[in-house]
Amino acid sequence: MDGWTAPGGHKLVLGMVHLSPLPGTPFHEDGSFDRVRDTAVRSARALYEGGADGCLIQTVDRVYRVDDVSDPARTVAMGLIVRAVAEATDERFHIGVQLMRNALTPSLAVAKVAGGSYIRAGALVGQTLTPHGMVRPDPMEVMAYRRRIGATDVRIVAEIDSMHFRWFGGEKSTAEVARAARTVGADAVSLCHPDEDTALEMIASVRKAVPDLPVILAGHTRHDNAARLLAAADGAFVGTCLERDGWGGEIDRDRVAAYVDIVRRLER
């Protein structure tokens, strides 16, 4: 992935910017959009000033559709937030878009138009059973749409094993899922496991199967384990340990700087 990351190179630190329910969703609080946007911008600025490489702006709407669709008001709201973050940072700061559960084409549209550089796909290949129903991705449509809107420069990070994705209906190893994701066009994959040794084994299996594919940790990294996990991976999506009041809280600049310092030592 020229200009972004490659196995063995620069380690990406991508902070999670969790959004409260957006317009067009059942639990949206009327009149709250300005607050949601401004909180997201402050968190992104904390990441930027703390030395992180970028962020992933993710919807937390509590209940989701499982198909590749997003309510128009919700999509517009996400676009406005992404644009505000882009204007508050600069082109070196990688802004990701994830309209949950798996609205991949709307996420690509937002990234392309509003200033994002990548999306994270909850399910790009296979299918996964979620509390909201079965997610059945359509990689052909996603890749065709990506080309149709001129978004081949918008990278796709495919989840292959995480709290969001488990291959459903037949045994597929993490390495097999990684290979399938790469075949359909993923630029990188993300994975995680709460057990550190298991996470490291998963990373090793993907490295063996697809040596040139960047592997990003999808969770469960903290200041006390980042050095061990990031020694094996190419980057991490980092959330709770950077947020002041736990998961969903605003991001703290000093916590970001401390985490980034741990990771940068691995590159020296």
Side-chain angles (χ1 to χ4, degrees), residues 12 17 30 40 52 60 73 77 110 112 115-118 121 133 139 147 181 184 190 259 262:
L12 284 172
V17 175
D30 191 39
V60 186
V110 168
K112 179 62 180 179
S117 62
Y118 72 97
R147 182 166 295 278
V184 304
S190 64
Y259 188 100
I262 292 167

Side-chain angles (χ1 to χ4, degrees), residues 235-253:
F237 292 110
V238 193
T240 306
C241 71
L242 305 181
E243 295 169 323
R244 289 197 188 101
D245 301 312
W247 190 93
E250 199 165 320
I251 290 175
D252 181 87
R253 180 192 179 281

Side-chain angles (χ1 to χ4, degrees), residues 70 76 83 97 101 108 114 139 177 220 230 232 259 266:
S70 176
V76 170
R83 189 66 207 156
V97 180
R101 290 210 66 95
L108 281 167
V177 182
H220 303 299
L230 269 295
Y259 188 100
L266 298 171

Side-chain angles (χ1 to χ4, degrees), residues 8-229:
H10 177 73
K11 309 282 187 180
L12 284 172
V13 177
L14 303 166
M16 298 297 299
V17 175
H18 295 120
L19 303 179
S20 297
L22 294 179
T25 66
F27 294 99
H28 171 66
E29 179 187 339
D30 191 39
S32 68
F33 173 74
D34 287 353
R35 172 176 53 80
V36 173
R37 179 200 57 215
D38 293 348
T39 299
V41 170
R42 286 195 300 272
S43 285
R45 281 293 305 180
L47 288 163
Y48 177 76
E49 293 171 3
D53 297 284
C55 68
L56 177 64
I57 303 175
Q58 183 188 69
T59 54
V60 186
D61 296 319
R62 293 175 55 184
V63 62
Y64 307 95
R65 293 185 59 152
V66 294
D67 50 358
D68 187 2
V69 173
S70 176
D71 179 89
R74 178 179 184 241
T75 307
V76 170
M78 179 63 111
L80 291 171
I81 291 168
V82 169
R83 189 66 207 156
V85 168
E87 291 174 349
T89 55
D90 63 30
E91 67 279 357
R92 296 169 297 176
F93 190 74
H94 303 295
I95 302 169
V97 180
Q98 188 171 23
L99 283 158
M100 296 282 283
R101 290 210 66 95
N102 206 49
L104 304 187
T105 54
S107 294
L108 281 167
V110 168
K112 179 62 180 179
V113 174
S117 62
Y118 72 97
I119 70 167
R120 186 166 79 169
L124 181 63
V125 292
Q127 58 183 359
T128 182
L129 183 61
T130 77
H132 311 106
M134 186 71 75
V135 176
R136 295 183 173 88
D138 185 349
M140 171 68 86
E141 174 58 26
V142 171
M143 294 306 170
Y145 182 76
R146 184 192 197 189
R147 182 166 295 278
R148 190 157 67 244
I149 65 169
T152 53
D153 58 331
V154 176
R155 297 173 177 89
I156 298 178
V157 180
E159 294 201 69
I160 58 169
D161 204 325
S162 75
M163 69 283 287
H164 298 137
F165 181 82
R166 290 285 188 281
W167 187 285
F168 182 84
E171 291 299 322
K172 290 285 184 183
S173 70
T174 303
E176 288 177 291
V177 182
R179 191 183 292 111
R182 181 52 172 259
T183 297
V184 304
D187 300 287
V189 293
S190 64
L191 57 82
C192 69
H193 195 281
D195 178 74
E196 187 176 316
D197 289 339
T198 302
L200 291 171
E201 290 170 3
M202 290 161 59
I203 295 167
S205 72
V206 173
R207 290 268 190 254
K208 183 177 180 180
V210 200
D212 64 339
L213 184 64
V215 179
I216 312 297
L217 291 162
H220 303 299
T221 72
R222 308 174 301 276
H223 293 77
D224 63 348
N225 68 9
R228 295 188 297 274
L229 288 167

